[in-house]
Amino acid sequence: MNALETRTRAAKAAGRKLLVPYVTGGVTGNWTDLLRAAVDAGADAIEIGLPFSDPILDGPVVQESSHRALLRGVTTRQILDEVTRLTLPVPLIAFTYANLVLHAGADRFCAALADAGVDGLIVPDLPVDEIEPVATAAAGNRVDLALLASPATTPQRLHEIATRSRGFVYAVSVMATTGEQSTVGAAGERLVTSLRQVTDLPVVLGFGISGPQQAAQAGGYADGVAVGSALMRRVLDGASAVQFGDFLTQLRTALDETGGR
């Protein structure tokens, strides 16, 4: 197993709920301080968004964070160069879109991730039917390609996604773009239940985790949560790395209280 899956499986075996925060690369000049704050707050892995001009799966908050990074002139190469200089004790996961991966060439792209110390990759607009050659390139560079499943995914495709995913399976709680929600709907719980019938990989629920209450709710049945919009909203509003970390600590505490259920 590669580094990401080793970490996620170990957490699941220990009864620890996974906390996977998202940070848009280059959103601020000191964006890497957010990664360090996430580690200090108890993150088990961190998604790093590689800014893209048309992030179709992302809601307004993450879109704006990507837009701000692009206005700063940030490029994928610059982000990876900054990541290379980091020494963080948790796996890093690149979150980006198929255009960037395929334009660079899947093998070249995944090799660049590996060289920078990135352990995982999420490409939300890449259907499971079309994951080759990205899956092959990722495996060849020891990068775990985590796939997404939604409440609308058919049972046959759900099985295929669970079989081909590495690191964890990303369960999308709603049929919508990313964004905060007041509650986590029942569709997410049904999806997690269905996935657990076809895989022993950890299942991480994302889309709509806006605070400790939603984290605790999702942690009651999922193996962990992915959190993006709630974090990026705070960053866009001027939150410091300390404040960013304080919010994540609240989520960590909420998840720990659900551990072992």
Side-chain angles (χ1 to χ4, degrees), residues 91-106:
L92 302 177
I93 306 163
F95 184 109
T96 193
Y97 288 86
N99 297 56
L100 294 183
V101 179
L102 300 178
H103 178 74

Side-chain angles (χ1 to χ4, degrees), residues 73-166:
V74 169
T75 66
T76 296
R77 183 67 267 166
Q78 289 171 342
I79 290 171
L80 294 182
D81 284 345
E82 290 190 66
V83 170
T84 302
R85 296 191 289 270
L86 299 174
T87 303
L88 299 178
V90 303
L92 302 177
I93 306 163
F95 184 109
T96 193
Y97 288 86
N99 297 56
L100 294 183
V101 179
L102 300 178
H103 178 74
D107 191 66
R108 180 183 176 191
F109 186 88
C110 290
L113 294 184
D115 287 345
V118 176
D119 306 288
L121 174 62
I122 298 173
V123 188
D125 60 339
L126 189 66
V128 66
D129 321 77
E130 301 175 17
I131 62 171
E132 301 294 347
V134 178
T136 298
N141 288 282
R142 299 188 61 79
V143 172
D144 283 331
L145 179 64
L147 305 182
L148 284 77
S150 81
T153 303
T154 64
Q156 180 180 353
R157 288 174 66 84
L158 206 65
H159 184 273
E160 187 174 1
I161 288 168
T163 301
R164 299 299 304 274
S165 193
R166 295 292 178 267

Side-chain angles (χ1 to χ4, degrees), residues 152-216:
T153 303
T154 64
Q156 180 180 353
R157 288 174 66 84
L158 206 65
H159 184 273
E160 187 174 1
I161 288 168
T163 301
R164 299 299 304 274
S165 193
R166 295 292 178 267
F168 58 88
V169 182
Y170 194 129
V172 176
S173 67
V174 293
M175 294 301 298
T177 56
T178 59
E180 298 174 77
Q181 298 177 47
S182 58
T183 60
V184 180
E189 183 172 1
R190 289 193 296 269
L191 175 59
V192 171
T193 299
S194 297
L195 282 167
R196 282 188 157 162
Q197 294 172 355
V198 293
T199 185
D200 63 349
L201 273 177
V203 179
V204 173
L205 190 73
F207 288 45
I209 307 299
S210 57
Q213 180 180 350
Q214 291 77 24

